[in-house]
Structures are given as structure tokens and as C-alpha cells.
Amino acid sequence: MVPISAPPLASNLNTLQKHRDITIARLDKFVQRGQFEDVNLNTALMKGRSSATVQLSVYGVPDLRRISFEEAMKGEYKPAQIGQWFGP
């Protein structure tokens, strides 16, 4: 009895490259909201999400200037919120 092996990875990658538009459309449907929202990738990721797993605190640097590590360690940190935006 001869074992059945999977096709080489290179051939799978070539298939994706030949049909790039189809692949991108399928990926878009897998992450978008709508008809299959209850079974898509975003829903699967959100089911395992818990605010107890990570605690993140942030320090807003005055005047957005560069500071040393020592100065950053002395900063007044506040708890971050889920969905909070960072940056200018």
C-alpha cells in the first residue's frame, strides 16, 4: 500500500497566484460582516477575546517629543481601553 501525500506547497502557492482575484475575493468574504458573520474569521477571533488576558497602560508624552527610557518609566500611565486609537 503506497501512502498518499499532499501536493507540494509550491504548487498550492502557484494556484493562488494564478487566481489572485478569486483568492482575494474569498478572503474578503471570510472577514467581512454580513450574511455569514456568525461563522467568519472576525467572529472566531472575538469569541476567544477577553479583557482579562492583557492589561495595557499608556502614557501620553507631552508635546509628542522623544523621551528617554528612564523618563518614560516615570510617566503617569493610565489604563488603555479596547478600541482606543494611538498616534497623531
Side-chain angles (χ1 to χ4, degrees):
M1 190 171 191
V2 179
I4 300 173
S5 63
L9 181 61
S11 68
N12 292 339
L13 293 176
N14 288 337
T15 302
L16 294 176
Q17 291 172 5
K18 288 179 186 174
H19 305 287
R20 187 173 190 275
D21 293 338
I22 294 171
T23 303
I24 290 174
R26 288 179 178 163
L27 290 172
D28 284 341
K29 288 179 183 178
F30 194 58
V31 296
Q32 74 185 3
R33 296 179 183 264
Q35 186 176 3
F36 297 105
E37 186 172 353
D38 57 332
V39 293
N40 70 7
L41 182 60
N42 288 330
T43 303
L45 292 173
M46 294 301 284
K47 284 181 182 175
R49 190 175 190 178
S50 169
S51 59
T53 56
V54 175
Q55 294 178 357
L56 177 66
S57 298
V58 295
Y59 168 57
V61 179
D63 302 324
L64 298 177
R65 60 185 173 84
R66 288 191 176 265
I67 60 172
S68 66
F69 178 78
E70 290 78 20
E71 189 177 349
M73 293 302 296
K74 295 177 187 175
E76 184 179 329
Y77 286 82
K78 298 177 182 173
Q81 304 297 321
I82 293 177
Q84 183 175 349
W85 287 89
F86 300 98

